[in-house]
Each structure stands twice: as structure tokens, then as C-alpha cells.
Amino acid sequence: MDPRPYTVKSITETFKKYPDIGTLLPAMGYGKAQMRDLETTINNTKCDSVVIGTPIDLARYIKINKPHTRVNYDLQEIGTITIKSVLKEKGII
């Protein structure tokens, strides 16, 4: 399900800033306002379940009104292009 019709506030702004993100719902930052916006967006979205793929367990911090599962993953960087190099190139770090 595409969450874009159900977004609010900072989540709506994130989709505007990153229009090519597709139908994945981004968890951008973890401040109180963004967490509220994320919770509202998730709970407004018409879907059967939610897959949580963030570094933190969002379900510990927000109330999700539908079935949800958390996935874990490990990142292995291969080659010379790393997350750190990309962030430096973009001036983020």
C-alpha cells in the first residue's frame, strides 16, 4: 500500500524532499514531533501489516494499530563507496 495519501506534517515533507523514495514509509529522525507524525501516518495507512526495518524498534516508542513485525539486518560495505564517503560527499558529515 502506498502511504503517501495518508502522510502528515514532517512525513509529507520528507516525501516532497525525496520524491523517488517510492512506496516505502521513511522514518526520518526520531524527535517527538516526527515520531507522532510517523505514528499517525502508519495508523492512517490502509494496510494489512507493517514491516519495521529501522535501527530501533519503533513499536517500543509508538503505538501501531495493526499487526507489525520487526526485521533485523547487517550491513556489509563492499568496495570503495561507503556510507561514510557518500555522507561526506553530500556534506552531511
Side-chain angles (χ1 to χ4, degrees):
M1 175 59 64
D2 187 348
R4 288 175 283 199
Y6 307 99
T7 63
V8 297
K9 302 178 184 174
S10 65
I11 306 300
T12 301
E13 293 305 313
T14 299
F15 274 106
K16 287 179 184 176
K17 186 173 181 178
Y18 302 101
D20 296 329
I21 199 166
T23 59
L24 296 175
L25 180 59
M28 300 292 291
Y30 299 105
K32 288 182 182 181
Q34 284 185 323
M35 293 293 273
R36 276 193 309 273
D37 296 346
L38 184 61
E39 177 179 42
T40 300
T41 298
I42 289 171
N43 291 336
N44 287 346
T45 300
K46 295 179 185 344
C47 65
D48 295 326
S49 65
V50 176
V51 177
I52 302 169
T54 61
I56 67 166
D57 185 0
L58 285 175
R60 292 182 63 200
Y61 301 95
I62 64 174
K63 293 180 180 166
I64 300 173
N65 67 0
K66 49 191 57 78
H68 53 278
T69 300
R70 182 175 181 214
V71 296
N72 295 301
Y73 52 88
D74 292 315
L75 174 67
Q76 179 183 0
E77 296 177 316
I78 300 172
T80 58
I81 299 174
T82 64
I83 290 175
K84 187 175 183 177
S85 69
V86 171
L87 294 176
K88 277 186 176 182
E89 181 183 306
K90 300 284 185 186
I92 297 171
I93 61 171

